[in-house]
Amino acid sequence: MLKQKKSKKGVFITLIGVVALLALTVVLENVLDPTKNIMLFTVLKKGAVYALVASSMNLLNGFTGLFSLGQAGFMLLGAYAYAIFTIPNSARENVYYLYGGSAIHFSLPELFGGGAVGLILGVLLALILAGIVAAAVAWLIGLPVLRLKSDYLAIATLGFAEIIRAVFQWDKLGPVTNGANALKSYPTFSSFNIPGGLRLSTAVAFLMAAVCIAIILLLINSSYGRAFKAIREDEVAAEAMGINLAKHKRLSFCISSFFAGVGGGMFAMFANQVQAKTFTTALTYEILLIVVIGGIGSISGSCIASFLYVACSEWWLRFLDEEHFIGTFKLPLMRNGFRMVVFSVIIMIVVLFFRRGIMGDKELPDLFQKRKPKPGAPVGKEGAK
Amino acid sequence: MQYALSIFLSGISLGGQYALIAIGYTLVYGILRLINFAHGDVFMVAGLMMVYLSTALPLWLALPLMLVLTVALGFAIERAAYKPLRSAPRMSVMISAIGVSYLLQNLATYITGGLPKSYPELPFLSDSVVIGGVSTKWVTIVTPFLVIALVFALTQLINHTKVGMAMRAVAKDFETSQLMGIKINSVISMTFVIGSFLAGVGSMLYFSNYPSIVPLSGALPGLRAFVAAVFGGIGSVPGAVVGAFIIGMSESVIKGSPFSIFSDAFTFALLIVILVVKPTGLFGEKVTDKV
């Protein structure tokens, strides 16, 4: 517990690992033909987005001990904010055809002069704006809601996510949100592919997610992070130690929502269109299950679990949905929907029997350290473990 | 006038149906301190079972069988998904409940093929009746009376039988009642049996009013019923019933107004207001936090 400084070696190795991963995605996407390996790249991009959102949820649920189920609502805010600010002016007429054009007459990438520079700056600014919108709403929601205890907090945040969804589908807001219809034609990950040159869409998704997750990790290892963990372990004791409960809970809630908003913006980039009905409670549950599978209180666990989860649900278990024959014998049970049944049984097994998930509350560097204990490490360090 | 009457009738019957689900939430929460997220899906599965059973069996056999199977499902869920986690943190049990809900929904999607199934016409309940110039189904009229009768029976059970006394004791103090020789597991199973039975009855009343049933049709009524249980003061049966009638009535009024898209939003706004103003609900007991 006393050992606050992580060994520099482990962090360094993780950093190299992330850079190597980024390089690998660039190489993969340019060596393999994306049109023939659609599944692989879909999984990689969606996995990166989910990793960010799961990490943000883990910050709140795993590290601060606030059981919130509002993640889908904040993703929705982020996704809409991103889409609304980046749809090119020329496409607005087309997207908002039901409402006779949009109420907003600018587009961030075009404000920055268009082209590659405009695209990068505009998308970055829009994503940050997406986060800020989500964080601001979280601040407002937090005023009444954060006073509630565990399961009441869960149900109240879930309720807020539903309210947000209803508001965004409201016809009167049509000129801004396009009502219940989809927003589209904004820059997506594929916009970052250089025509005739490098394909960068997957690498961009990875880079954005990695930067955000790194910020979350830095936060968790800062004094704020330690305060969050203290609140998780024992609120009363934390308060007695001089931690301002209300302030730190609000901070954790807003930061988590900020990254959920950025994640929502990236989800919009991944999905090519935004529609309020995508962001249901089921999406929150999905993210929650990823956090549980990865281990509550482990960011690297959330990242690994999100790629596993997305790969299983989108790709590896697909064969369960198709009918198979061995000779003339038709395998029983295999038909549309069977994949999700098998999948939810696996999740139940994890929840019931492997409650600590993949990583427990350890991070990747911790595992690395354990395998190679330093010879002649001071006794105090061992005792503190 | 006629319009107001029709809104009133549908509100009362909706409230009664929510009350039957809300009791399941409130009993389980009172004893296990667990939001049983899977309860709404048990309600949906009960509806689907009725659809399948009524095609194969005559109605007088299908109806009791549906109730028995629903009870068995509730019992099995408790034994399989909640009992192994009895000593685990509350968050794990809640996550397990979410997992069960996910499983039931996916299972239902698999079996129905994701297509809406039309609910069988029940004799008498599905027949139309005209009251004060408003045409409605008998189920609308019957629901409130049936609910009141069931709630009366339930309160008798809780207040005047040995099982009921055990349930109250367990709700008060889990560990002490164990020391007093109460078999905790059978009491908990009993609450799930009662809750699932009422959800089965509720599904029969609820889906008679709707043309079809899909795997997701349990989720929202479940959440609304939970809000009703919190509104009335969770752990209190009369509170759940009163809360359910208020929620049902306000939903019916909003659905009839131009703001129908906000009906669920209003329900949740009501929840947040009550949680902030009076966290114990209308009839809940005050609990003090011990350090």
Side-chain angles (χ1 to χ4, degrees):
Chain A
M1 291 296 250
L2 290 170
K3 205 183 72 172
Q4 295 296 359
K5 280 227 159 117
K6 291 265 157 64
S7 127
K8 286 272 186 285
K9 200 177 158 196
V11 178
F12 191 61
I13 288 169
T14 321
L15 207 63
I16 290 181
V18 171
V19 173
L21 204 64
L22 269 175
L24 186 69
T25 54
V26 178
V27 171
L28 262 185
E29 206 176 8
N30 288 293
V31 171
L32 298 173
D33 186 2
T35 47
K36 282 182 191 141
N37 297 287
I38 297 173
M39 269 303 159
L40 174 68
F41 292 107
T42 309
V43 165
L44 286 178
K45 285 178 211 167
K46 197 175 176 188
V49 175
Y50 272 35
L52 172 59
V53 183
S55 302
S56 80
M57 191 172 198
N58 211 340
L59 172 67
L60 199 57
N61 291 17
F63 288 95
T64 322
L66 295 170
F67 195 66
S68 151
L69 292 177
Q71 228 63 5
F74 297 119
M75 280 175 79
L76 182 150
L77 285 170
Y80 266 89
Y82 172 78
I84 288 168
F85 287 127
T86 54
I87 294 178
N89 272 331
S90 50
R92 277 184 195 263
E93 198 70 36
N94 220 336
V95 172
Y96 288 93
Y97 71 96
L98 274 179
Y99 297 94
S102 161
I104 290 166
H105 298 290
F106 63 91
S107 153
L108 286 176
E110 283 167 20
L111 278 189
F112 287 106
V117 182
L119 179 72
I120 293 170
L121 284 179
V123 166
L124 273 185
L125 190 65
L127 281 178
I128 292 170
L129 268 176
I132 289 173
V133 169
V137 174
W139 186 81
L140 279 178
I141 292 175
L143 289 179
V145 163
L146 284 179
R147 283 193 268 161
L148 304 170
K149 289 272 154 57
S150 60
D151 22 10
Y152 287 113
L153 176 69
I155 208 87
T157 44
L158 196 146
F160 261 118
E162 289 291 315
I163 295 175
I164 291 173
R165 197 157 60 89
V167 170
F168 271 78
Q169 283 177 318
W170 193 23
D171 220 31
K172 296 271 160 55
L173 289 176
V176 182
T177 64
N178 209 9
N181 311 302
L183 291 171
K184 43 186 185 284
S185 312
Y186 50 80
T188 61
F189 286 135
S190 317
S191 316
F192 287 90
N193 288 334
I194 302 164
L198 278 176
R199 281 189 286 264
L200 289 174
S201 61
T202 314
V204 164
F206 268 65
L207 184 65
M208 287 173 180
V211 168
C212 292
I213 292 170
I215 296 172
I216 294 179
L217 270 175
L218 286 176
L219 180 84
I220 286 169
N221 289 327
S222 71
S223 64
Y224 287 107
R226 288 197 287 278
F228 292 162
K229 285 181 213 163
I231 294 174
R232 167 187 72 185
E233 297 300 333
D234 191 332
E235 278 195 15
V236 180
E239 199 171 20
M241 297 296 286
I243 292 170
N244 186 340
L245 279 190
K247 183 185 145 197
H248 281 91
K249 279 184 178 177
R250 204 174 330 141
L251 195 68
S252 170
F253 193 55
C254 288
I255 293 174
S256 164
S257 307
F258 177 87
F259 286 111
V262 175
M266 285 173 61
F267 187 78
M269 292 175 79
F270 160 76
N272 298 338
Q273 61 165 1
V274 183
Q275 206 165 5
K277 69 174 183 196
T278 331
F279 300 91
T280 50
T281 323
L283 183 64
T284 309
Y285 288 170
E286 240 180 325
I287 307 286
L288 176 69
L289 291 172
I290 288 176
V291 172
V292 172
I293 293 171
I296 297 172
S298 163
I299 296 291
S300 39
S302 295
C303 298
I304 297 169
S306 57
F307 283 103
L308 275 180
Y309 182 97
V310 174
C312 284
S313 68
E314 301 267 329
W315 188 15
W316 294 340
L317 294 180
R318 275 274 166 201
F319 72 93
L320 291 172
D321 267 5
E322 291 147 17
E323 293 176 345
H324 290 271
F325 293 89
I326 299 178
T328 52
F329 174 71
K330 182 173 172 290
L331 285 177
L333 294 174
M334 301 262 221
R335 64 184 156 93
N336 216 356
F338 190 57
R339 169 179 60 113
M340 290 313 285
V341 175
V342 172
F343 198 50
S344 32
V345 170
I346 296 174
I347 287 172
M348 275 317 288
I349 291 172
V350 171
V351 169
L352 285 177
F353 302 111
F354 305 97
R355 225 182 306 151
R356 294 175 49 76
I358 299 173
M359 302 288 287
D361 52 4
K362 300 241 172 355
E363 300 291 348
L364 270 183
D366 296 348
L367 293 186
F368 200 79
Q369 271 181 330
K370 245 193 187 161
R371 221 172 283 159
K372 273 197 253 166
K374 265 187 211 152
V379 187
K381 262 194 176 176
E382 290 299 313
K385 261 184 189 171
Chain B
M1 186 58 214
Q2 275 188 7
Y3 183 65
L5 185 66
S6 79
I7 295 254
F8 175 78
L9 280 178
S10 77
I12 285 283
S13 94
L14 210 53
Q17 289 143 13
Y18 288 159
L20 292 179
I21 316 173
I23 290 170
Y25 278 109
T26 219
L27 286 179
V28 168
Y29 192 91
I31 286 182
L32 282 183
R33 300 273 174 271
L34 157 74
I35 302 175
N36 184 8
F37 279 104
H39 194 61
D41 299 289
V42 170
F43 164 81
M44 173 273 297
V45 171
L48 276 182
M49 282 201 284
M50 189 65 195
V51 171
Y52 283 100
L53 287 174
S54 64
T55 55
L57 298 168
L59 201 66
W60 59 270
L61 200 62
L63 194 61
L65 197 59
M66 180 272 280
L67 290 176
V68 169
L69 285 177
T70 311
V71 164
L73 178 68
F75 177 80
I77 288 174
E78 195 274 322
R79 278 294 148 102
Y82 305 148
K83 192 167 168 243
L85 298 177
R86 198 126 306 156
S87 57
R90 273 163 77 186
M91 200 147 118
S92 311
V93 195
M94 199 141 81
I95 291 164
S96 177
I98 291 175
V100 172
S101 148
Y102 199 58
L103 176 63
L104 286 181
Q105 283 176 11
N106 285 331
L107 209 56
T109 313
Y110 172 62
I111 289 171
T112 59
L115 301 170
K117 294 276 166 189
S118 55
Y119 204 73
E121 293 264 320
L122 301 172
F124 179 65
L125 284 182
S126 302
D127 295 343
S128 294
V129 62
V130 177
I131 289 184
V134 180
S135 166
T136 179
K137 286 182 177 175
W138 266 110
V139 66
T140 315
I141 319 291
V142 171
T143 302
F145 295 103
L146 190 63
V147 169
I148 288 167
L150 282 171
V151 168
F152 179 74
L154 183 62
T155 43
Q156 292 300 312
L157 177 87
I158 289 175
N159 290 329
H160 299 288
T161 64
K162 215 170 172 185
V163 184
M165 204 196 286
M167 280 166 69
R168 278 183 289 148
V170 176
K172 203 63 140 196
D173 192 327
F174 209 85
E175 273 154 20
T176 317
S177 55
Q178 211 166 6
L179 294 175
M180 303 295 280
I182 292 172
K183 290 196 181 65
I184 293 250
N185 286 329
S186 56
V187 171
I188 292 172
S189 297
M190 191 64 199
T191 53
F192 274 84
V193 164
I194 295 173
S196 313
F197 173 78
L198 293 176
V201 176
S203 87
M204 184 185 77
L205 300 173
Y206 183 85
F207 291 116
S208 292
N209 259 337
Y210 287 82
S212 64
I213 168 170
V214 291
L216 280 176
S217 48
L220 266 180
L223 276 179
R224 289 184 207 126
F226 177 76
V227 172
V230 175
F231 194 84
I234 200 141
S236 141
V237 173
V241 176
V242 172
F245 277 110
I246 293 174
I247 297 282
M249 195 57 97
S250 52
E251 187 188 327
S252 170
V253 169
I254 293 176
K255 280 253 167 84
S257 75
F259 297 99
S260 61
I261 197 169
F262 288 110
S263 72
D264 285 325
F266 178 80
T267 308
F268 286 111
L270 209 62
L271 168 83
I272 288 154
V273 169
I274 193 94
L275 283 179
V276 170
V277 177
K278 198 168 183 302
T280 52
L282 294 178
F283 296 91
E285 287 170 29
K286 197 166 164 50
V287 247
T288 43
D289 266 348
K290 276 182 238 163
V291 176

